Amino acid sequence: MAHGYRTDRYGYDTGSAVGTAQGGGFREAASRYALLPLRLFLGITFIYAGLDKITDEAFTKASGPGSIGELMNQVRDSAAVPALVDLALKNPEGFGYAMAFGEIAVGVGTLVGLLARLAALGGALISLSLWLTVSWQSDPYYYGNDLAYLMAWLPLVLAGASVFSVDAALAERRRRRTL
């Protein structure tokens, strides 16, 4: 810290001189809030996706137009891991509901920041499974959105939810108890 500037807990220069603005300056604030837009987008999107599946009468059926069973049958031969599709086809209705409720749980956990890393891991696993099955045949690969969602989840798996989250509030509460 010989340069006279404040650094954050990771050693990064916050851009503010030592002794100036409390809170560490713009760079620290920007890094603290950087993942918030991603959390909001992924949380809202996954909640919407789950609710959309639950409220679509056709989706949770084993067969028929728009059903999870028909979708799984269509992608079975082009999937990177057909065994995942076969597993879903053992009980398409149950799989459809599990997918929907899983997306809602991931979305809510991400949005409110409750067990944020675990929620993000769930989102990454859902996106990975969809990429390896449903969107695997996308050519070129970047037309398949599930790979992009997988990559979007990874920063949240690594960093969690540092602001406006239940996790942060609980951590602050624990910190205050130890003082």
Side-chain angles (χ1 to χ4, degrees), residues 71-82 85-86 89 132-133 136-137:
L71 175 64
M72 292 292 107
N73 280 316
Q74 289 173 353
V75 301
R76 168 55 179 85
D77 294 332
S78 61
V81 185
V85 178
D86 292 339
L89 285 170
L132 292 173
T133 56
W136 182 257
Q137 74 278 2

Side-chain angles (χ1 to χ4, degrees), residues 1-174:
M1 199 157 106
H3 51 66
Y5 285 92
R6 177 176 288 143
T7 57
D8 64 13
R9 64 183 176 159
Y10 304 109
Y12 292 106
D13 182 2
T14 62
S16 63
V18 174
T20 61
Q22 283 194 356
F26 176 76
R27 287 184 186 172
E28 186 175 328
S31 68
R32 198 171 36 245
Y33 293 95
L35 294 178
L36 188 57
L38 188 60
R39 263 184 57 210
L40 291 171
F41 171 75
L42 290 171
I44 290 168
T45 300
F46 267 56
I47 291 170
Y48 176 74
L51 290 174
D52 189 46
K53 287 174 177 70
I54 288 175
T55 58
D56 181 354
E57 291 181 21
F59 179 79
T60 54
K61 303 255 188 259
S63 61
S67 70
I68 187 68
E70 183 175 310
L71 175 64
M72 292 292 107
N73 280 316
Q74 289 173 353
V75 301
R76 168 55 179 85
D77 294 332
S78 61
V81 185
L84 286 175
V85 178
D86 292 339
L87 186 61
L89 285 170
K90 288 184 179 188
N91 184 354
E93 299 95 340
F95 177 74
Y97 280 112
M99 178 68 77
F101 287 119
E103 286 174 336
I104 292 170
V106 162
V108 169
T110 301
L111 199 57
V112 301
L114 177 61
L115 302 173
R117 284 189 171 109
L118 182 60
L121 179 61
L125 291 173
I126 289 170
S127 297
L128 176 63
S129 67
L130 291 172
W131 176 54
L132 292 173
T133 56
V134 177
S135 62
W136 182 257
Q137 74 278 2
S138 297
D139 187 31
Y141 75 92
Y142 50 82
Y143 282 164
N145 63 349
D146 295 311
L147 180 58
Y149 277 102
L150 170 61
M151 293 300 118
W153 282 112
L154 294 181
L156 295 175
V157 170
L158 297 171
S162 62
V163 294
F164 302 120
S165 70
V166 174
D167 290 348
L170 292 173
E172 178 63 19
R173 185 176 174 191
R174 282 190 302 270

